[in-house]
Amino acid sequence: MADYYEVLGVTREASEDEIKRAYRKMSRKYHPDIAGPEFEDKFKEVNNAYDVLSDPQKKQMYDQGVDPNNPQASGFAQGAQGFDGFGDIFGQFFGGGFGSAGQGPIPRTQPGRDALSHVSIDLKTAIFGGVAHTSIHTYGLCPDCGGAGTRNGEKPVTCPDCKGQGFRQKVVRTMLGQMMTSAPCDRCEGHGTIIEHPCQTCMGHGRVQTKRNVGVTIPAGITDDSRLRLASQGEVGEGGGAAGDLYIDVSVNPDPQYTRDGDDLHCWIQIPMSWAVLGHDIDIDTFDGKKTLSIPTGCQSEDAIALKGLGVTKLRAQSERGNLVAHMVVDTPTKLSDREEKLMMEFAKLHDADAHHTTGRSRPKPKGRKGLFGRIKDALG
Ligand code: ZN
């Protein structure tokens, strides 16, 4: 029995959310469109693991030692296997099952599967939106036959062996005696038609492996680890069948200056002690160009100053933006010239003559100031 936890790289105690995140990461890593066709089996294994571990009922079965997707592989599946066999015979009796009376030929045209790709964007693109580019390897429509799979616009012809039925009747012996059953026609593989002269480019499949560049519209305010869906941009199906959807996983690269918290941007600014005391206007680089930040007189370390509306565009209210919050760090000078030291001593004499120090279990609040969160709240108004 495959260890599905190991396949997804999570512990047995992993939460639903952790399993989901691990699955997204693994499915991206091993998706054949990204990793290459040789990872097809690994990709299936990852999907199988997620199918079981994301379903509470299946997960419970699995944790008890039964693989719900592959009961034969686990302990008490013998009985179930016998049941399946019985079901088949009933199916043939009552007209169910593969290729029995009433089922038509298998269409040559099949819907295409979904495809997956990945883009990384910078924080600026997440704030304002934009277009990201990626290239995907997937099936595209055959350019020579346009999906028909035939040469020179020929049409598939009725299969002479099954007369277009797609299956052939056979007599089989079962424990209930001789029975008529049907199996797909060998000559047309169940299609009921044959292509006499297959297109040389796609060998009759109507589709070919292609590399395609895709422009992905990134909505402003997108969050890290989002998945976008591009309808009908996925894999073209057999026989030129309608394309599946293309999913794009979007990750936002960390920015060297700003971190993001919801719709707000945060940065830390180191300022000299004199600016903190006297106040100062400085220019800072924002995603909207240079903006002036006014440090008020008597600014304390960890004070937060907000520039309203310079944060991230709100995903669900595109005309609104979060704030940009600058956190102050007051830099205490460590090397003073003789003159500076003299001035500092004079300052201390004037200002700190009756200063006293306090010890306590928690950080004391500077006089007339609120705690950090109160100050951020004030800053944001
Ligand atoms: Zn072709």
Side-chain angles (χ1 to χ4, degrees), residues 141-150 198-208:
L141 206 59
C142 173
D144 286 349
C145 65
T150 57
C199 166
Q200 299 287 78
T201 308
C202 64
M203 302 303 159
H205 292 288
R207 60 179 189 169
V208 286

Side-chain angles (χ1 to χ4, degrees), residues 31 33 112-117 136-139 212 228 230 233-236 244-248:
H31 195 288
D33 291 349
R113 293 185 310 173
D114 294 338
L116 178 73
S117 189
I136 62 159
H137 292 266
T138 190
Y139 280 107
R212 189 153 53 89
L228 300 174
L230 279 62
Q233 295 234 33
E235 186 177 300
V236 166
D245 295 334
L246 170 61
Y247 287 89
I248 307 277

Side-chain angles (χ1 to χ4, degrees), residues 260-292:
R260 174 178 178 180
D261 179 22
D263 298 323
D264 292 336
L265 296 172
H266 293 263
C267 68
W268 291 86
I269 296 177
Q270 201 168 34
I271 57 169
M273 196 180 63
S274 55
W275 292 6
V277 175
L278 302 170
H280 198 84
D281 281 356
I282 55 169
D283 281 346
I284 62 166
D285 287 318
T286 74
F287 293 98
D288 298 77
K290 282 211 191 305
K291 294 284 173 187
T292 303

Side-chain angles (χ1 to χ4, degrees), residues 68-83:
N69 283 1
N70 193 11
Q72 285 84 348
S74 35
F76 53 81
Q78 294 300 34
Q81 207 168 13
F83 231 80

Side-chain angles (χ1 to χ4, degrees), residues 2-69:
D3 187 341
Y4 290 151
Y5 292 96
E6 201 179 291
V7 169
L8 294 183
V10 295
T11 64
R12 291 189 163 255
E13 290 74 41
S15 68
E16 243 174 79
D17 208 47
E18 283 169 324
I19 289 170
K20 195 171 160 188
R21 287 184 84 86
Y23 165 67
R24 279 199 167 183
K25 202 175 124 195
M26 288 302 201
S27 67
R28 191 148 70 216
K29 186 170 169 194
Y30 293 115
H31 195 288
D33 291 349
I34 294 170
E38 66 270 30
F39 286 93
E40 184 103 34
D41 285 346
K42 182 76 191 167
F43 181 64
K44 277 184 192 151
E45 198 177 271
V46 167
N47 279 312
N48 205 24
Y50 183 65
D51 180 62
V52 171
L53 296 185
S54 63
D55 179 322
Q57 261 179 338
K58 287 186 181 176
K59 184 172 186 289
Q60 196 185 5
M61 268 177 89
Y62 178 75
D63 288 342
Q64 286 165 355
V66 185
D67 187 339
N69 283 1

Side-chain angles (χ1 to χ4, degrees), residues 97-100 102-111 148 156-159 162-168 182-195 204 237-239:
F98 181 76
S100 22
Q103 182 178 328
I106 304 163
R108 286 203 168 272
T109 304
Q110 298 286 336
V157 295
T158 304
C159 173
C162 67
K163 310 279 185 283
Q165 300 273 56
F167 56 88
R168 307 194 71 186
S182 55
C185 171
D186 291 333
R187 182 148 179 192
C188 65
E189 292 173 326
H191 293 305
T193 56
I194 51 172
I195 291 175
E238 275 282 332

